[in-house]
Amino acid sequence: MSQRPLVTGDSISGGDRRRRVWLEHHEQPFVLAVKRDEPVWAVLDGRWGQPRADVIAAAQIPADAWQRLSAGEGAQGPRWYDWARVRLARLQLTAAERRWDHWLLVRRSRSAPTALAYSVVFTPAGTSLRTRARVAGQRWRSEQSCELAKGEGGLDQYEVRRWNGWYRHMTLALCALASLAVLRAHLHAQQAAQQTPASPRHRRHTTSKSQVAKGGPTSSRSM
């Protein structure tokens, strides 16, 4: 079974359906956000077709199927949502194909129960709903990283018309952000080390050296 990490992102257009097919072909697990009107393969009312994501959720998620799970830590602690999933339809003829699951993952806001978000999920069979929810929540961290890259690395400060120029700018901006992140981590580690209290033995040794330097008490033995 593939050991690749489960990734998250957006699937925003019909062209990105080819992207999902490519990821599945290369056995790359993913959680991709889709719009509520995204057509996905499913069996609805005994018929195989491509109904909208919101239609599938309304028809196949009972009231007791929702689970309250954290989408990860946010600025004010864990981000709690209600989650549910619906298995999507795929022709899985071989044992290798049956090692994978396809799901529609639905997230519901606690404060606004009618606010739903949808994701298409491709994971190894047996992956828990908790894991899927956690990975879906990483999209928030990705958005934060993009905003940080714009502010500190100039990610959005370009005037190019060709893909090569755009790609080079993106690469340099992200490398600059990575360098800043490493420097910040080292600085925080140094500050933490300076603030860590010294051990009793180290303090006694430091105090003794200080007293000798100031002409204070020393050993009672004659020299």
Side-chain angles (χ1 to χ4, degrees):
M1 183 175 294
S2 173
Q3 299 298 319
R4 295 183 178 181
L6 184 58
V7 298
T8 184
D10 292 325
S11 182
I12 58 176
S13 67
D16 271 341
R17 293 173 201 144
R18 292 192 295 271
R19 172 185 171 195
R20 298 204 299 261
V21 172
W22 186 91
L23 291 172
E24 292 177 11
H25 177 73
H26 289 79
E27 296 188 343
Q28 171 60 64
F30 60 77
V31 177
L32 296 180
V34 296
K35 297 180 180 180
R36 64 180 183 177
D37 60 352
E38 176 77 7
V40 291
W41 286 104
V43 177
L44 191 61
D45 296 330
R47 296 181 179 180
W48 179 292
Q50 284 187 294
R52 291 165 44 128
D54 56 353
V55 173
I56 296 172
Q60 298 195 14
I61 299 180
D64 59 353
W66 297 93
Q67 297 184 39
R68 185 152 296 176
L69 300 168
S70 171
E73 292 291 328
Q76 299 179 354
R79 293 172 291 131
W80 296 98
Y81 294 94
D82 294 333
W83 301 83
R85 59 184 176 179
V86 178
R87 186 181 292 275
L88 298 179
R90 291 293 190 279
L91 283 175
Q92 295 177 305
L93 303 178
T94 67
E97 292 174 340
R98 288 191 291 271
R99 293 186 307 168
W100 298 90
D101 284 339
H102 300 77
W103 296 89
L104 176 66
L105 181 67
V106 186
R107 186 191 73 195
R108 184 176 69 183
S109 171
R110 296 169 58 194
S111 58
T114 58
L116 303 179
Y118 306 88
S119 298
V120 174
V121 180
F122 174 69
T123 56
T127 302
S128 67
L129 178 60
R130 184 181 301 275
T131 298
R132 295 185 176 99
R134 177 181 56 79
V135 174
Q138 294 301 312
R139 181 169 174 264
W140 175 77
R141 187 182 298 274
S142 300
E143 292 173 353
Q144 271 196 328
S145 298
C146 286
E147 291 300 320
L148 189 63
K150 291 177 182 179
E152 298 190 7
L155 186 69
D156 57 344
Q157 299 176 14
Y158 61 88
E159 295 182 7
V160 295
R161 297 185 178 181
R162 294 181 180 275
W163 185 87
N164 287 343
W166 176 88
Y167 184 83
R168 290 166 183 164
H169 178 84
M170 294 294 110
T171 302
L172 290 174
L174 292 176
C175 286
L177 181 65
S179 299
L180 291 174
V182 171
L183 290 174
R184 183 180 293 113
H186 287 171
L187 179 60
H188 288 171
Q190 292 175 359
Q191 292 175 343
Q194 292 174 357
Q195 295 173 0
T196 301
S199 65
R201 180 179 179 183
H202 178 74
R203 286 199 298 268
R204 288 197 301 269
H205 181 67
T206 304
T207 301
S208 176
K209 292 176 62 177
S210 176
Q211 289 175 343
V212 170
K214 294 179 180 180
T218 59
S219 174
S220 59
R221 292 186 179 180
S222 59
M223 300 297 293

